[in-house]
Every structure is written in C-alpha cells, then in structure tokens.
Amino acid sequence: MANVKFMRGFLAGAVALGTLAGTAASAQELNIYTTREPGLIKPVLDEFTKETGIKVNTIFINNGLEERVRTEGANSPADIILTVDIGRLQAAKDYGVTQAVKSEALEKVIPAAYRDPEGHWFGIALRGRVVYASKERVKQTAITYEELADPKWKGKVCIRSGQHLYNVSLIAAAIAHMGEAKAEEWLKGVKANLAKKPSGGDREQAKDILAGVCDIAVGNTYYVSLMLNGKDEEQKKWGEAINVILPTFQGGGTHVNVSGLALAKNAPNKANAVKFMEFMVSDDSQHIHAEANSEYPIKAGIKVHPTIASFGELKADNVSIAEIAKLRKKASELVDKVGFDQ
Ligand SMILES: [Fe+2]
C-alpha cells in the first residue's frame, strides 16, 4: 500500500513538474515541494490562495526530496520545501538546497528553539513523541522516558524501527539529557523490554496494544487524533484501546519535533515564498493547520485540536531542535551499536 501511495505521489509530482517548467517564475505562483500528505496541507494552501491570489503548485515527493532539488540545480522550480522532522529539514540545509531568511514576523512567533539559528528552516507546528498505554492493562498516568528501560516493562513495549527519523530524534534528545554512555545503556534497556522486533508505523503500535502484544508503545501525538477522528473503523478501535501519557525526561519535558519549512536556494518566486512563510505563522493559518494535522500550533494562544488537548498540557522539553539535529548522527549509530532493530 505504501508503494501505491508513493507511486501516486511520484506521478502527481511528475505531471505537476511538466506544467511548472514554463511557469516557474510567474508573478502570482508559488511552487511547494513537500513530503506531506496532500490532504493535510490542502486547507491551509487554499486559504493562502484565497487571501493572496497566489496560485500554489504542490509537488508531493515522499522520498529523496533534497536530492531532487539538488539535481534540478539552478533551474529548480522549488520555492518552498515543506516537510516534517528536524531530520528532513536539516538534511535540506546540509544538501545546500535552502537559503537563509531574515524575517521579523517569523522570529517573533517561532521560539528560537524551533528554528535554525541561521534562518534556513523554521518550525511551524510541533508534535510530541509520547507513550501509548493500554487502557485495559496500564493504570499509571505518568511516565518518564527513562522508565521505558525499567525491567518492570519486560516484554511489554512496542516501537517502530529505531532508525526511523522520529526515533532517531528521540534518541538524540536522550543523548542530550543523559550523555552518550548512559543513553546507550538506556537504549539497551528499552530493547530488552521489547515485545517484538521493531516494525510498522506508529499506528501499528496502537494496533498491537489492542491485540495484547504489548502494553505500552512509543508514537507521535497526531496519529492518535488521526486514528480516532478518521474514517477507518479499524484504526478507530486501535485509537480507542490506548491512553496517551505525555512522558518527560528526568529534569526535562516531553520530546517534541517540528513540522516546518525552508526557502529553496534558487526559489524563482522568492517574494511569494517569503509571503507564504509569514502566512504560515498567522493566526488563521496556524488554526487551520492545527485542525487539519492535529499538531500543536507553534504560535502561542492558538487553540489545540480537542483530541490533542485531551492528553493534558504539553510541557515541551528544553533541548533545542538545532541541538537534536547535531546529535542525530550519534543517535543513529547507537541504534546500530545496540542492535536495536535486530
Ligand atoms: Fe508521521
């Protein structure tokens, strides 16, 4: 199914690119390269067009977005790179396909911890990496990330691949808090508690909890809302089988990551692109985006989706996203070192 989805996205991208070739620098257009599900961003893009009259062309690229923009080089039609996770945002910067933006509007709204100190990427929403706990079998309502390694959970923990970018970022945060040696011990402890080999996506961990395979799992906040409020009846049951516990690091808070955007290095519609970036932190778009995605708005004072609000108040961790970006390589090496996925 993933392949079908990828192919569809790829074909849509190829077709859209064909039409872009002649119009890349048109005054009233904006070209967005994105890894995001089209349905999740459409409401906010429609609003942007409504407010500005700028036509938005989206190209959905699930894998290899940065390589694609780099290959296109100076002629790339890409204006904006819209994606999730610091892993991908930093990759775009490292590939040299972004450029710095200096914008008071962005800096005023987005806390420094959630944007690149050099202005190459900006977080526009947050997602927590949290604990899914069986409603039936888990009574406790608070937990630390450290406790995931406690032998009391032996054979009871589920998680997707340690090399998935969401987990690499979480493990990078663990390194920031514990130091490398203790983080390694911790990761070994988590591995020793696994009910099964890491597999599936975050939603499948909730499915496994419903099936009794495990009692607790690690997953992102928004998936719970997507399961509970989506059209898939099976997934609704997975979502209903779990409670969300917002875990914290000892001496810290809940690990969050960003969805965000960057200005493409050779953006042909640069003025429109910056206008779009600033639009994305406006009250209107922050609200629409949060409703459609079930992410936490980056802007203070914007209402959180009711399902997400029901998890309790988010106390985001104090490790900055840029710091996590620096520790990701080490985190990925640790995953291999402890044979987490074996
Ligand atoms: Fe996701």
Side-chain angles (χ1 to χ4, degrees):
M1 193 171 141
N3 277 340
V4 172
K5 204 161 78 188
F6 172 70
M7 277 306 290
R8 219 190 308 135
F10 181 77
L11 288 174
V15 171
L17 233 208
T19 53
L20 286 183
T23 58
S26 159
Q28 286 312 312
E29 294 205 18
L30 177 69
N31 305 323
I32 298 180
Y33 280 34
T34 185
T35 62
R36 305 219 68 175
E37 295 274 341
L40 294 182
I41 53 171
K42 192 175 180 300
V44 81
L45 300 184
D46 288 348
E47 182 63 23
F48 176 69
T49 300
K50 204 176 106 189
E51 286 186 18
T52 62
I54 297 168
K55 182 177 171 248
V56 178
N57 309 302
T58 41
I59 299 182
F60 178 65
I61 307 167
N62 202 13
N63 290 301
L65 191 154
E66 310 83 28
E67 289 97 328
R68 164 86 165 262
V69 179
R70 189 162 71 177
T71 305
E72 288 171 353
N75 296 320
S76 175
D79 292 308
I80 289 283
I81 295 167
L82 182 67
T83 189
V84 300
D85 202 278
I86 180 55
R88 280 180 157 153
L89 289 165
Q90 186 65 34
K93 186 184 177 191
D94 292 344
Y95 264 77
V97 296
T98 59
Q99 61 174 302
V101 173
K102 184 93 191 114
S103 157
E104 233 176 81
L106 292 174
E107 283 163 24
K108 211 172 81 188
V109 171
I110 306 169
Y114 305 125
R115 53 183 157 86
D116 178 30
E118 293 170 352
H120 280 258
W121 50 258
F122 296 86
I124 53 171
L126 298 176
R127 57 264 306 283
R129 192 133 186 86
V130 297
V131 166
Y132 302 167
S134 164
K135 270 185 193 165
E136 245 176 46
R137 300 181 297 279
V138 178
K139 295 296 160 229
Q140 73 187 67
T141 54
I143 196 166
T144 61
Y145 292 103
E146 285 82 354
E147 195 192 313
L148 295 173
D150 188 316
K152 81 182 227 198
W153 296 110
K154 193 157 185 62
K156 294 188 168 149
V157 179
C158 281
I159 192 166
R160 76 193 304 169
S161 164
Q163 288 295 3
H164 187 272
L165 75 171
Y166 299 162
N167 282 336
V168 171
S169 291
L170 172 63
I171 294 160
I175 295 173
H177 279 283
M178 306 170 193
E180 207 178 332
K182 277 198 181 142
E184 182 177 338
E185 283 316 302
W186 171 74
L187 199 57
K188 275 186 195 157
V190 178
K191 179 185 159 54
N193 285 342
L194 295 183
K196 57 185 273 203
K197 238 170 130 164
S199 66
D202 285 355
R203 297 182 221 218
E204 279 69 33
Q205 316 310 319
K207 179 188 183 186
D208 282 341
I209 288 176
L210 174 65
V213 176
C214 37
D215 287 354
I216 58 171
V218 174
N220 281 356
T221 40
Y222 56 87
Y223 286 119
V224 181
S225 179
L226 298 181
M227 287 189 281
L228 288 173
N229 304 311
K231 292 193 179 81
D232 188 316
E233 290 305 318
E234 278 306 302
Q235 289 193 10
K236 211 164 272 182
K237 290 182 204 154
W238 308 348
E240 282 164 357
I242 60 166
N243 282 320
V244 168
I245 309 177
L246 300 180
T248 52
F249 281 106
Q250 282 168 17
T254 300
H255 171 64
V256 295
N257 209 312
V258 290
S259 68
L261 37 67
L263 177 63
K265 187 179 178 193
N266 297 302
N269 304 293
K270 188 172 166 181
N272 290 351
V274 173
K275 199 181 273 185
F276 177 74
M277 294 172 92
E278 292 177 345
F279 165 80
M280 286 304 281
V281 297
S282 69
D283 283 13
D284 267 5
S285 75
Q286 281 283 303
H287 176 71
I288 295 167
H289 192 256
E291 281 297 307
N293 290 296
S294 294
E295 291 183 290
Y296 294 94
I298 202 91
K299 186 169 193 174
I302 304 290
K303 225 179 108 213
V304 177
H305 187 289
T307 301
I308 302 299
S310 76
F311 305 157
E313 201 193 333
L314 175 76
K315 185 177 162 272
D317 194 31
N318 50 7
V319 176
S320 84
I321 298 290
E323 204 175 331
I324 284 168
K326 285 189 208 140
L327 291 167
R328 290 186 86 262
K329 188 167 173 284
K330 221 168 242 176
S332 172
E333 286 164 6
L334 265 196
V335 171
D336 279 347
K337 194 174 173 194
V338 307
F340 195 80
D341 286 349
Q342 304 312 307

